[in-house]
């Protein structure tokens, strides 16, 4: 019987019955030490781990709680091996460290999450790994690949402006040359899109966002689909001594149980806000791929199962001071980075921040909104009063 993802998210990673009964949820297993029944049992477990199996021989690797979330993340992403990291950015860093050596070149789409550039400038450059950025809308990936390119790193849709990037031609060009394709899948969080199914080698995400869903933990997840990428990730994972608290792992599992209903409500509310904004006389453009007028809409329809609560909005002929005045006049939207929780958030992205997106054509910048699970009409009313108040002056 093939089951819908919503059903699998409700059932995956649950503990086996112990005899006639058992708990619904996996316990939070806190331990720094894994103990063994015998030397033979210890050696067997060590051999299994060395052979690539996700079994635990030491506390850093976590036990039942970690295995349950790893299993659930493989289910969500359609992969065979998952790695948990203390943050989404740690997942990105670990993956790039695992896949590159001095002299290698990494090609990155220019609309990625900004801290990737800090990793580049602050670490990769120093280790002799060269990172280049390209605009997938005006440049062909083939022309930017070099003989030493090892990884193409894509985030789709892009950060801040949510540019839909077609993964198919990128995967095709890389497959032919044995280059690894890594996708930051935080926007879709596995629920709306599966890069591995489109031929990407690694899908990673900030579990901090929609997997958690409640703005109460930091987590990264890396999912691979083949033994060679898994083996490289395992080596670097162990070398870096990465460990994640079982409490955070438990909260992430808890978040997954309600992900289906949350995602549907985020999309419903964001669509209501996006439509209202798109009709507003002062609005220049709404950046939300689920909107029919968005340039990425056809691609989003082709590849994605739905949309989330993130959108950006640019206003016509507005000063930066007015943009900030809208933010300050909002009552239900807290000012804050991050997103994916139940609450609505706003963050201005000034033009300076958007210059790295070569397709950016605006002047004043945009407001990035995360549309939470509040009542959609209340959110629209709040935006209406804030835009009215700020643009009147
Ligand atoms: C938030 C975010 C990250 C980083 O995740 P943290 O858990 O905050 O480190 C990475 N990529 C994208 C697209 C994000 O939005």
């Amino acid at each position: 019987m093939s089951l819908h993802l919503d059903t699998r998210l409700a059932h995956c990673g649950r503990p086996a019955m112990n005899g006639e009964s058992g708990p619904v949820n996996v316990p939070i297993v806190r331990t720094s030490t894994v103990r063994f029944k015998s030397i033979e049992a210890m050696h067997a477990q060590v051999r299994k781990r060395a052979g690539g199996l996700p079994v635990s021989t030491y506390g850093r690797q976590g036990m039942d709680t970690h295995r349950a979330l790893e299993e659930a993340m493989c289910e969500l992403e359609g992969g065979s091996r998952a790695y948990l990291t203390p943050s989404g950015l740690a997942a990105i860093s670990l993956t790039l460290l695992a896949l590159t050596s001095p002299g290698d070149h990494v090609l990155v789409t220019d609309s990625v999450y900004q801290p990737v550039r800090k990793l580049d400038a602050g670490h990769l450059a120093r280790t002799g790994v060269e990172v280049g950025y390209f605009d997938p809308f005006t440049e062909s990936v083939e022309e930017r690949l070099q003989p030493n390119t090892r990884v193409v790193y894509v985030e789709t849709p892009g950060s801040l402006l949510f540019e839909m990037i077609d993964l198919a031609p990128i995967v095709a060009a890389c497959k032919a040359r044995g280059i690894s394709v890594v996708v930051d899948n935080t926007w879709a969080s596995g629920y709306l899109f599966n890069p591995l199914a489109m031929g990407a080698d690694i899908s990673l995400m900030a579990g901090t966002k929609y997997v958690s869903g409640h703005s109460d933990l930091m987590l990264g997840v890396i999912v691979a689909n083949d033994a060679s990428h898994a083996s490289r990730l395992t080596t670097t994972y162990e070398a870096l001594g990465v460990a994640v608290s079982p409490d955070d792992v438990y909260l992430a599992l808890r978040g997954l149980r309600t992900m289906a209903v949350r995602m549907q409500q985020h999309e419903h509310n964001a669509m209501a806000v996006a439509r209202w904004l798109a009709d507003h006389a002062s609005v220049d453009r709404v950046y939300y791929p689920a909107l029919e007028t968005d340039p990425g809409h056809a691609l989003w329809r082709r590849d994605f199962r739905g949309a989330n609560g993130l959108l950006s909005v640019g206003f016509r002929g507005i000063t930066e001071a007015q943009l900030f005045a809208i933010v300050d006049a909002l009552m239900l939207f807290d000012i804050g980075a991050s997103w994916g929780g139940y609450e609505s958030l706003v963050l201005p992205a000034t033009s300076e921040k958007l210059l790295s997106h070569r397709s950016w054509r605006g002047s004043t910048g945009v407001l990035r909104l995360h549309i939470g699970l509040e009542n959609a009409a209340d959110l629209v009313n709040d935006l209406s009063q804030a835009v009215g108040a700020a643009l009147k002056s």
Side-chain angles (χ1 to χ4, degrees):
M1 185 167 57
S2 85
L3 296 173
H4 192 281
L5 178 59
D6 295 5
T7 309
R8 287 183 282 131
L9 283 178
H11 287 257
C12 66
R14 296 201 305 182
M17 296 256 184
N18 178 12
E20 295 298 311
S21 61
V24 173
N25 292 304
V26 72
I28 299 175
V29 178
R30 305 187 59 90
T31 190
S32 62
T33 300
V34 176
R35 59 196 180 114
F36 303 94
K37 232 177 184 162
S38 64
I39 289 289
E40 191 192 327
M42 181 175 80
H43 287 166
Q45 198 80 340
V46 168
R47 269 196 307 276
K48 277 189 196 165
R49 187 157 182 92
L53 289 177
V55 298
S56 192
T57 55
Y58 185 55
R60 229 169 12 227
Q61 300 141 6
M63 295 197 74
D64 311 40
T65 329
H66 290 67
R67 292 301 90 71
L69 181 61
E70 288 163 6
E71 183 189 323
M73 293 310 301
C74 285
E75 195 73 54
L76 187 63
E77 282 282 40
S80 56
R81 186 72 196 265
Y83 300 82
L84 309 178
T85 60
S87 72
L89 185 56
I92 297 170
S93 305
L94 194 149
T95 300
L96 290 177
L97 293 180
L99 300 185
T100 57
S101 303
D104 287 349
H105 172 249
V106 178
L107 188 60
V108 177
T109 49
D110 66 358
S111 54
V112 292
Y113 180 64
Q114 302 263 348
V116 172
R117 290 171 192 261
K118 284 193 193 156
L119 166 67
D120 168 13
H123 188 88
L124 294 172
R126 218 154 26 86
T127 57
V129 173
E130 180 201 349
V131 180
Y133 297 88
F134 81 111
D135 170 12
F137 300 102
T138 58
E139 295 178 278
S140 110
V141 65
E142 263 115 343
E143 281 167 22
R144 292 295 309 277
L145 294 177
Q146 300 177 184
N148 60 340
T149 306
R150 291 286 168 272
V151 178
V152 172
Y153 180 97
V154 182
E155 179 183 330
T156 180
S159 271
L160 303 175
L161 299 177
F162 315 114
E163 305 94 332
M164 286 294 312
I165 294 166
D166 193 352
L167 207 50
I170 295 176
V171 166
C174 292
K175 281 266 134 102
R177 295 166 176 82
I179 297 168
S180 301
V181 178
V182 175
V183 178
D184 182 333
N185 197 29
T186 305
W187 191 93
S189 287
Y191 189 74
L192 307 171
F193 178 54
N194 296 117
L196 299 178
M198 283 196 73
D201 298 292
I202 289 176
S203 178
L204 58 83
M205 71 171 83
T208 309
K209 311 287 168 59
Y210 285 120
V211 168
S212 146
H214 295 76
S215 304
D216 53 3
L217 67 96
M218 304 296 298
L219 178 78
V221 185
I222 308 167
V223 182
N225 217 359
D226 67 277
S228 122
H229 284 90
S231 150
R232 281 188 277 176
L233 287 167
T234 302
T235 304
T236 305
Y237 195 87
E238 310 234 308
L240 293 180
V242 173
V244 178
S245 150
D247 297 278
D248 290 345
V249 171
Y250 180 85
L251 284 176
L253 262 173
R254 193 185 209 267
L256 279 181
R257 304 306 185 197
T258 57
M259 193 177 198
V261 286
R262 285 188 286 107
M263 294 310 283
Q264 282 152 31
Q265 196 62 34
H266 281 296
E267 175 172 3
H268 173 269
N269 286 0
M271 198 49 138
V273 170
R275 287 204 196 289
W276 179 82
L277 284 170
D279 283 344
H280 195 285
S282 303
V283 167
D284 177 38
R285 204 194 129 178
V286 178
Y287 301 80
Y288 188 58
L291 213 53
E292 295 80 355
T293 49
D294 190 281
H297 185 70
L299 196 55
W300 171 79
R301 276 203 93 88
R302 189 193 76 184
D303 291 346
F304 284 59
R305 293 184 287 269
N308 65 14
L310 270 182
L311 58 93
S312 285
V313 54
F315 296 89
R316 235 185 281 282
I318 176 179
T319 64
E320 202 166 274
Q322 285 174 311
L323 194 71
F324 293 163
I326 297 175
V327 173
D328 280 334
L330 284 165
M331 279 151 43
L332 297 176
F333 290 77
D334 285 328
I335 304 172
S338 199
W339 44 270
Y342 56 86
E343 79 286 19
S344 287
L345 294 169
V346 60
L347 198 67
T350 56
S351 214
E352 197 185 342
K353 245 190 168 173
L354 295 168
L355 285 178
S356 58
H357 301 231
R358 284 174 219 166
S359 57
W360 167 244
R361 294 282 168 273
S363 54
T364 316
V366 298
L367 293 184
R368 187 192 72 184
L369 303 174
H370 178 251
I371 307 303
L373 302 177
E374 300 92 338
N375 177 272
D378 286 347
L379 296 176
V380 164
N381 288 339
D382 190 28
L383 280 161
S384 175
Q385 67 77 22
V387 172
L391 299 191
K392 196 170 57 200
S393 48

